[in-house]
Amino acid sequence: KRKISEVLGVDLTAYWSGFYRISPKIQLNYDVVQFTETVNESAILPPTESATMLARGLHLYRGHFLSAMDMPWVMTRRAELALDYGEALAMLAKAREDAGKTAEALGLYLTAAAYNRNREDLTTSIMMLYRQMGKHSDALTVYERLSDGLQAELGVAPAPNVQQLAADIRNEMNGSSE
C-alpha cells in the first residue's frame, strides 16, 4: 500500500475510527453506479431529457454483473441490475412510442420483455405495436409466450385485459387475410 501510494503520489487509504478506508482524495467512478444514478435521475426529468438520460444509462449496461462469479451477493445484485435495465428499456420504449418512433419502441419493448418475461404491460405494448404494424401473428406469438410463461412459473393466466386484446387481434386476423 505504501509503495503504490508513493508511486501514485496520493494516499489510497485513510485511517479513521480504527479502520482503513478509501481516502476521500480518491474519486471512484464505475459503470454500475453511473448506470444506477443515470436511470434514477431520468425519472425526475422532463420526457425529452429523460429519454436522452435513459439512452445514456442503457449504453453503460454491458451485460450481466460479474458474470463469472456465483456468490449469493453477486447473483442478487446481478438480478437487481438486470431488472433495472429492463425497466430502463421499458421507459425509453414508452418515450420512443410517444414520439412516434414505432419500430425503435418495438425493439426496446422486446428487449425489455426478455429481461422481464412475465410483465403483462410490456406484452400489451408489444402486441399493440405489432397490431398497429399489421403483424397480428407476431402479436399473438408474444401473447402465447406470456401465457405459457405465466402458467409454467406462476400457475396463472394473463390478466383479462390482455386476454381480450389477444381475442380482438385473433378476430381481426380472422376477418382479414394476414
Side-chain angles (χ1 to χ4, degrees):
K1 177 187 88 60
R2 184 179 53 80
K3 289 285 187 190
I4 293 172
S5 293
E6 286 175 10
V7 169
L8 294 176
V10 65
D11 285 331
L12 299 176
T13 59
Y15 188 77
W16 181 67
S17 295
F19 297 98
Y20 282 99
R21 304 179 191 278
I22 295 174
S23 171
K25 296 177 185 175
I26 303 294
Q27 280 197 331
L28 291 178
N29 191 8
Y30 54 101
D31 58 352
V32 172
V33 169
Q34 286 180 324
F35 167 74
T36 303
E37 287 176 355
T38 302
V39 170
N40 289 340
E41 287 174 26
S42 73
I44 59 171
L45 295 173
T48 306
E49 293 175 46
S50 177
T52 301
M53 183 77 79
L54 283 168
R56 190 177 316 135
L58 291 170
H59 182 70
L60 292 168
Y61 192 91
R62 298 286 188 198
H64 295 301
F65 178 70
L66 299 177
S67 60
M69 300 179 78
D70 63 355
M71 293 182 288
W73 75 268
V74 172
M75 294 168 60
T76 299
R77 186 67 175 133
R78 183 182 303 139
E80 290 168 355
L81 288 167
L83 286 176
D84 289 348
Y85 180 67
E87 185 59 32
L89 285 164
M91 292 186 311
L92 184 57
K94 178 67 175 139
R96 295 297 192 243
E97 181 181 4
D98 291 346
K101 298 178 179 181
T102 305
E104 187 178 349
L106 179 60
L108 289 163
Y109 278 131
L110 288 167
T111 306
Y115 282 86
N116 300 287
R117 296 192 185 283
N118 292 332
R119 285 221 6 217
E120 293 175 318
D121 61 327
L122 295 176
T123 298
T124 300
S125 295
I126 293 166
M127 290 171 66
M128 292 176 73
L129 287 176
Y130 273 139
R131 179 189 204 184
Q132 182 181 335
M133 298 166 81
K135 298 182 176 188
H136 294 77
S137 61
D138 290 336
L140 294 175
T141 299
V142 171
Y143 171 77
E144 292 302 326
R145 191 177 313 131
L146 171 72
S147 183
D148 293 347
L150 288 173
Q151 189 60 48
E153 292 179 34
L154 304 172
V156 298
N161 65 311
V162 184
Q163 292 179 37
Q164 184 61 53
L165 177 59
D168 292 347
I169 292 171
R170 270 192 210 93
N171 290 337
E172 289 174 17
M173 203 165 120
N174 292 334
S176 67
S177 58
E178 186 182 326

